[in-house]
Amino acid sequence: MPALTWLHHEDLNPQSPAWAAARQAHGLDTPAVVIFDRPRIERRGYTLKRVVFLYECAIETGAELYDGDPLDLLQKLLAQHHAEALYATRTADPRITAQGDRLGVAWVDPPAFVTLPGPADLKRFSRYWRKAERLAGRPTGQA
């Protein structure tokens, strides 16, 4: 069963968890795509510097780059690649989530920022950060 990986703007990373999951499940030749959603970029007021940064990150992934409506393009690319599965890294961005849900994306959870040794006190950021900052530079899972 062929698959496709969508590397959205929050996941422009050659070691994307979604791409890793797709490759593990479907083989190393699983393609990935990055789609520059121009209306979203304009609506959010991204500066040219930010767009160039995103482009440089996208180039570094080695994925195929496209410009246009992600929903439209992903539907066409799924058909073109005869892909039956679409992978993407879970995001808090409601627009990306809605687009992915419409396409039946297999969401892959990103690695945790830190794994705290006990319950997190989220009433104040400083309380959380006191616990988290010691662990923030370490690979996830190391205490």
Side-chain angles (χ1 to χ4, degrees):
M1 170 175 87
L4 187 66
T5 303
W6 174 24
L7 302 178
H8 51 73
H9 76 278
E10 290 184 11
D11 194 34
L12 296 179
N13 172 359
Q15 284 82 40
S16 161
W19 204 357
R23 288 176 162 189
Q24 183 176 9
H26 303 279
L28 293 176
D29 61 342
T30 301
V33 298
V34 174
I35 300 171
F36 284 87
D37 184 348
R38 192 176 305 266
R40 179 184 189 281
I41 289 170
E42 291 170 359
R43 191 173 45 261
R44 290 215 163 170
Y46 286 6
T47 64
L48 180 59
K49 190 181 273 190
R50 171 110 186 219
V51 172
V52 169
F53 172 74
L54 292 173
Y55 177 76
E56 289 172 343
C57 291
I59 291 291
E60 192 175 307
T61 68
E64 300 170 17
L65 304 182
Y66 296 91
D67 182 28
D69 177 65
L71 198 56
D72 260 1
L73 281 169
L74 286 167
Q75 288 173 332
K76 290 174 185 169
L77 291 166
L78 286 165
Q80 178 184 330
H81 288 275
H82 307 289
E84 297 175 20
L86 177 62
Y87 287 80
T89 301
R90 190 175 309 280
T91 174
D93 186 316
R95 181 176 167 94
I96 293 173
T97 300
Q99 291 169 331
D101 287 347
R102 284 187 61 190
L103 293 166
V105 163
W107 294 109
V108 178
D109 290 319
F113 175 63
V114 296
T115 303
L116 296 176
D121 180 356
L122 301 177
K123 291 179 184 172
R124 297 233 182 231
F125 177 78
S126 59
R127 291 179 194 162
Y128 162 79
W129 187 243
R130 262 184 255 136
K131 287 183 176 181
E133 71 180 327
R134 295 176 289 132
L135 307 170
R138 298 182 185 160
T140 304
Q142 284 189 347

